[in-house]
Amino acid sequence: MSLAPEHTRTDVWPGHPQPLGARFRVGPEGTEGTNFALWAGGAEAVEVCLFDEEGRETRCHLEELTHEIWHGFLPGVRPGQRYGYRVHGPWDPFAGARWNPAKLLLDPYARAVDGEFALPDEVYGHNRHHQPPELADTVRDDHDSAPFVPKGVVVHDTDTWVDDRRPKTPWADSVIYELHVRGFTMRHPGIPPELRGTYAGLGHPAAIEHLVQLGVTAVELLPVHQFAHEDHLLRRGLVNYWGYNSIGYFAPHAAYSASGTRGQQVGEFKNMVRALHQAGIEVILDVVYNHTAEAGEGGPTLSLRGIANPGYYRLAEDPRHYTDYTGCGNTLHVVQPQVLRLITDSLRYWVQEMGVDGFRFDLAAALARSFHDVDMLSPFLAVIAQDPVLRRVKLIAEPWDVGDGGYQVGAFPPLWTEWNDRYRDTVRDYWRGALPDVRDLGYRLSGSSDLYAWGGRRPYASVNFVTAHDGFTLRDLVSYERKHNEANGEDNRDGTDDNRSWNCGVEGETDDPAINALRRRQLRNLLTTLLLSTGVPMLVAGDEFGRTQGGNNNGYCQDNEVGWVDWSLPDDPTWRPLLDLTRRLIRMRREHPVLRRRAFFSGRRQAPAGIRDLGWFTADGKEMTEEDWYAPSRTVAMYLSGRDIPQRDEKGRPVTDVSFLAVLHAGDRPLDFPLPGPPWGAVYRLLLDTSRERQDVAPDSTHLGGTILRVPERSVLLLRVEPADPEIRAGA
């Protein structure tokens, strides 16, 4: 295919090297236009390519080069203009050089993207069909890719977030709700059909009403950066539904826009954020800066590979190949200043111009690698720590990658919170009867001090979760012991085999009422454990009312009913009680500071009552000894003292609360549990019993300290404690 453009434009003014990207502004003598600036270290020439409504291309040579940034001002180019780059340079894959001007490249700083990524042969910089195939990536392909790739769009940047009504919820008070913009809204009957699957749909009052009634304080959105689909999925008629395949770090994913893709998606995203903020809900983005959609050396040439392959990616000792710490074929070389700048510029943009409140970093350990090893003094972490914008937002690490030494749970520095997979595994194991003792459970319930009580970190450094987007849903966790991913087209090889699940006796759905009742009880146990634990709880959309994926534990390519939230469930009498319980538990967290502590428990006896701020009891009602932690047990009771919270309110007054006793019993037979007597408590009032479908308090729910409490099998009992000391009881 000919590379001859329809037209070559010569009125390219010098412009400026800063800021990077395409920025509409007023130039010399009051002339409106767009300044283009692209870092392309090692390139020999750069062309900006403009496209009209019929797809005709006009090329504009950028003549100015400042510190490896090619730049120029194009008068008359206004918002809505579609564009891309062609970058010239040597083709020498054995040296890591993969420049190919036949390939139209997406601007890494594009604020909006118009068009879908398909992956025909033309978008590959190399000849995919060269023989022998093992050398195919070394042979350049000269077919023009412009007709087959999306284009960047010039937008009108506002530079600042004009609505400063951010909720600013303290970490300790946060309850995170992980959701997929499309999957959460696609089947919601209260959202107009034309808005389902979009940012406008998530900002619709019907969607926000559920979040507010549930009581969550933040939504964590699966990736909304512009992403592309992998070739192996497209060939099977599937797509990358989750979106962990980013290619545009400044652009909201265009397919989630109801209003248009010529820049309208930017405004629609901002309106969604404003609507959520007005409801008191923060917006956290799941971001994928560890790799891009260009994959390994056999992948397509879409952006960074064709701009400056050696400057953006970690190359192997043989620079023809890529160092892969992500399992996706490539890893961004964050040690390089231009890559670090790309990431931090993107983060600041989403905070300052798009209004978001924080980020969850996918495979964050890959970002913390200096040259090879994970380094908690790495440039990336150092820059974040001193950045006046980024150090003030919520920062969540997925603290691992797939490389050697990549598992770093508990190792990230202050300012960071972490997905705590040890919490997930421990709670799952406890309720399925696979824990040898309760040592690990004690740490997880009380904030994981063994992982986070260093360097000034707090209990809210632990983001506690039982399920996430990756893995079984909560309902599937108690319904399946094996993954059932056949629909993914990978012969059920994909997805983890380490599910730590228990199907309660039958694999998959069943009509057996006893098994179904047990499964619902286990769901109540898991949710109650999560929401009573110290730390920041994270729920997954739909788990609060029994969403299922039919046993698929890797629904990354299921853009259909498998991956979408089923909104018929909240009205189903079978599942409505689970939703009611979840709302009640979140409300209890909000009302009781003892459930959302800002400091770790000391475990020491406190005055005046002479009890500990955190007490642990065995199945026979006695305080646990060191030996008890190592003994096999299916029962543990946790006493949370509301009199001993090391916290003051805004006026400096001590924060106090009621005290609670939580009895967790994973045994398959009822337990007679002696309630701790004085000084721990005089009277215990039952608030919650997960053995019941509905949480109506029974008439005989008041018990004296020292008496026997019947604990049903596989249940959690939560009791409010009336102090033994009369003066304390009167004050409470």
Side-chain angles (χ1 to χ4, degrees):
M1 182 177 293
S2 171
L3 293 180
E6 298 289 340
H7 180 64
T8 299
R9 180 170 170 170
T10 58
D11 59 333
V12 181
W13 300 355
H16 299 280
Q18 307 294 342
L20 293 172
R23 305 299 292 270
F24 174 73
R25 65 181 182 85
V26 176
E29 300 180 354
T31 303
E32 289 187 338
T34 299
N35 191 84
F36 293 88
L38 177 72
W39 184 92
E44 297 172 349
V46 172
E47 298 170 296
V48 176
C49 305
L50 308 179
F51 293 86
D52 65 15
E53 296 301 325
E54 285 70 42
R56 291 187 294 260
E57 177 182 353
T58 297
R59 297 189 189 175
C60 313
H61 293 271
L62 299 182
E63 303 292 344
E64 302 298 323
L65 180 61
T66 304
H67 305 309
E68 299 188 302
I69 297 173
W70 298 81
H71 55 92
F73 180 83
L74 300 184
V77 173
R78 302 183 55 79
Q81 174 66 58
R82 299 185 302 153
Y83 74 99
Y85 288 108
R86 296 186 188 273
V87 182
H88 300 253
W91 175 266
D92 186 2
F94 294 98
R98 293 182 179 271
W99 282 282
N100 185 345
K103 308 305 169 184
L104 187 77
L105 306 173
L106 184 67
D107 181 3
Y109 280 73
R111 292 330 199 228
V113 176
D114 179 58
E116 282 280 354
F117 279 100
L119 295 178
D121 291 344
E122 289 84 353
V123 305
Y124 290 79
H126 61 280
N127 184 342
R128 301 177 74 196
H129 305 290
H130 177 78
Q131 297 297 325
E134 58 269 19
L135 293 177
D137 71 283
T138 67
V139 179
R140 196 173 84 168
D141 177 89
D142 291 327
H143 290 89
D144 185 13
S145 71
F148 308 99
V149 294
K151 315 304 189 286
V153 180
V154 177
V155 303
H156 197 298
D157 292 296
T158 58
D159 292 324
T160 56
W161 176 249
V162 296
D163 181 359
D164 196 36
R165 289 178 291 180
R166 298 174 185 262
K168 299 180 181 178
T169 306
W171 258 125
D173 300 340
S174 297
V175 178
I176 297 173
Y177 190 75
E178 189 193 39
L179 66 82
H180 189 288
V181 169
R182 180 169 167 82
F184 184 74
T185 59
M186 276 299 291
R187 303 177 70 184
H188 197 299
I191 298 174
E194 65 274 14
L195 300 184
R196 295 174 187 171
T198 70
Y199 306 118
L202 182 55
H204 190 273
I208 292 177
E209 180 184 16
H210 177 76
L211 301 172
V212 171
Q213 291 182 353
L214 188 59
V216 297
T217 68
V219 290
E220 183 176 305
L221 308 183
L222 267 67
V224 296
H225 287 165
Q226 186 70 40
F227 61 85
H229 308 297
E230 293 94 328
D231 179 66
H232 70 91
L233 291 175
L234 294 174
R235 283 189 276 108
R236 295 202 298 269
L238 300 170
V239 296
N240 189 318
Y241 168 61
W242 285 348
Y244 290 91
N245 208 36
S246 299
I247 196 63
Y249 291 128
F250 291 78
H253 188 61
Y256 299 161
S257 174
S259 53
T261 60
R262 298 291 286 270
Q264 297 94 333
Q265 62 263 56
V266 178
E268 184 177 327
F269 184 92
K270 291 180 179 180
N271 289 336
M272 174 199 74
V273 174
R274 290 190 182 97
L276 288 163
H277 281 180
Q278 289 170 4
I281 297 170
E282 294 183 305
V283 178
I284 298 171
L285 301 188
D286 196 333
V287 289
V288 189
Y289 294 112
N290 53 76
H291 76 281
T292 75
E294 293 184 300
E297 58 270 14
T301 296
L302 306 175
S303 183
L304 303 182
R305 173 178 285 132
I307 295 171
N309 187 56
Y312 282 108
Y313 292 117
R314 289 180 179 267
L315 301 183
E317 186 175 345
D318 174 1
R320 173 187 163 194
H321 304 292
Y322 294 81
T323 300
D324 183 9
Y325 293 122
T326 67
C328 300
N330 64 59
T331 306
L332 283 178
H333 202 348
V334 181
V335 173
Q336 298 284 3
Q338 63 276 4
V339 180
L340 187 58
R341 178 182 178 184
L342 171 67
I343 295 172
T344 53
D345 282 353
S346 168
L347 292 169
R348 282 189 292 268
Y349 171 76
W350 287 96
V351 174
Q352 294 179 297
E353 297 191 39
M354 303 294 273
V356 306
D357 306 287
F359 305 94
R360 179 264 188 189
F361 292 82
D362 180 67
L363 300 182
L367 300 173
R369 290 183 182 270
S370 290
F371 287 96
H372 298 289
D373 295 334
V374 177
D375 179 6
M376 291 304 158
L377 299 176
S378 66
F380 172 73
L381 295 177
V383 166
I384 296 292
Q386 60 79 42
D387 189 284
V389 173
L390 301 180
R391 69 189 181 196
R392 292 185 296 176
V393 302
K394 286 183 164 65
L395 302 170
I396 306 171
E398 182 182 38
W400 52 78
D401 63 21
V402 301
D404 291 340
Y407 186 76
Q408 295 289 324
V409 171
F412 274 71
L415 292 183
W416 288 82
T417 65
E418 302 175 16
W419 270 25
N420 187 351
D421 68 328
R422 288 187 59 179
Y423 180 95
R424 174 199 65 197
D425 293 349
T426 298
V427 171
R428 288 185 179 192
D429 281 348
Y430 176 73
W431 285 111
R432 71 188 180 104
L435 275 187
D437 52 52
V438 292
R439 281 177 296 163
D440 212 37
L441 182 66
Y443 278 121
R444 305 305 147 235
L445 295 175
S446 59
S448 294
S449 60
D450 57 329
L451 300 176
Y452 302 112
W454 63 273
R457 303 187 82 183
R458 298 296 185 93
Y460 47 77
S462 177
V463 175
N464 299 331
F465 65 103
V466 178
T467 58
H469 67 274
D470 189 3
F472 282 148
T473 67
L474 199 67
R475 177 175 167 184
D476 289 353
L477 190 68
V478 301
S479 304
Y480 298 90
E481 293 187 5
R482 303 183 304 277
K483 63 188 180 185
H484 296 267
N485 300 353
E486 290 80 6
N488 296 355
E490 300 176 40
D491 297 324
N492 209 35
R493 295 190 302 269
D494 62 304
T496 183
D497 293 312
D498 184 20
N499 295 296
R500 300 174 187 248
S501 58
W502 178 46
N503 63 19
C504 299
V506 173
E507 185 72 1
E509 296 299 315
T510 178
D511 294 328
D512 188 317
I515 290 178
N516 285 329
L518 175 57
R519 288 175 175 177
R520 292 193 297 273
R521 180 183 294 203
Q522 288 291 83
L523 292 180
R524 295 191 293 272
N525 290 334
L526 290 163
L527 279 172
T528 301
T529 303
L530 174 65
L531 290 165
L532 293 181
S533 297
T534 301
V536 178
M538 185 184 78
L539 299 166
V540 179
D543 275 354
E544 70 272 25
F545 46 71
R547 185 176 78 90
T548 177
Q549 292 184 168
N552 191 323
N553 75 352
N554 189 32
Y556 79 106
C557 56
Q558 297 298 322
D559 186 10
N560 49 46
E561 286 80 2
V562 172
W564 302 340
V565 173
D566 181 356
W567 286 100
S568 70
L569 294 172
D571 296 324
D572 186 330
T574 299
W575 298 107
R576 180 71 188 202
L578 187 66
L579 174 59
D580 292 340
L581 171 64
T582 308
R583 289 173 173 170
R584 181 180 178 188
L585 287 165
I586 293 175
R587 184 172 64 251
M588 289 181 62
R589 282 189 69 92
R590 183 171 62 248
E591 294 173 350
H592 292 288
V594 73
L595 299 178
R596 43 187 173 82
R597 287 173 55 105
R598 287 159 166 75
F600 287 107
F601 296 95
S602 70
R604 296 187 295 271
R605 295 191 181 277
Q606 307 288 327
I611 60 175
R612 307 179 194 276
D613 59 354
L614 174 66
W616 297 102
F617 296 87
T618 63
D620 57 8
K622 298 179 180 178
E623 276 197 79
M624 293 186 71
T625 65
E626 183 70 17
E627 292 75 16
D628 291 326
W629 288 108
Y630 291 83
S633 178
R634 304 293 301 276
T635 307
V636 65
M638 176 176 65
Y639 184 102
L640 304 172
S641 172
R643 299 290 303 175
D644 304 297
I645 303 173
Q647 181 181 336
R648 297 190 298 168
D649 65 15
E650 293 179 349
K651 294 185 178 180
R653 297 168 298 196
V655 172
T656 59
D657 195 6
V658 300
S659 298
F660 292 100
L661 179 71
V663 184
L664 288 76
H665 177 50
D668 58 4
R669 296 178 181 275
L671 169 73
D672 289 331
F673 178 77
L675 289 166
W680 295 98
V683 177
Y684 293 82
R685 302 184 185 278
L686 184 65
L687 301 179
L688 186 148
D689 176 357
T690 63
S691 71
R692 298 174 180 162
E693 289 277 359
R694 300 183 180 277
Q695 298 306 309
D696 302 315
V697 177
D700 60 346
S701 60
T702 300
H703 307 268
L704 297 178
T707 60
I708 300 297
L709 176 69
R710 187 74 164 179
V711 181
E713 69 277 9
R714 294 193 176 98
S715 66
V716 180
L717 301 189
L718 181 67
L719 302 101
R720 174 172 171 162
V721 184
E722 298 292 346
D725 188 313
E727 293 183 5
I728 297 177
R729 187 161 61 249

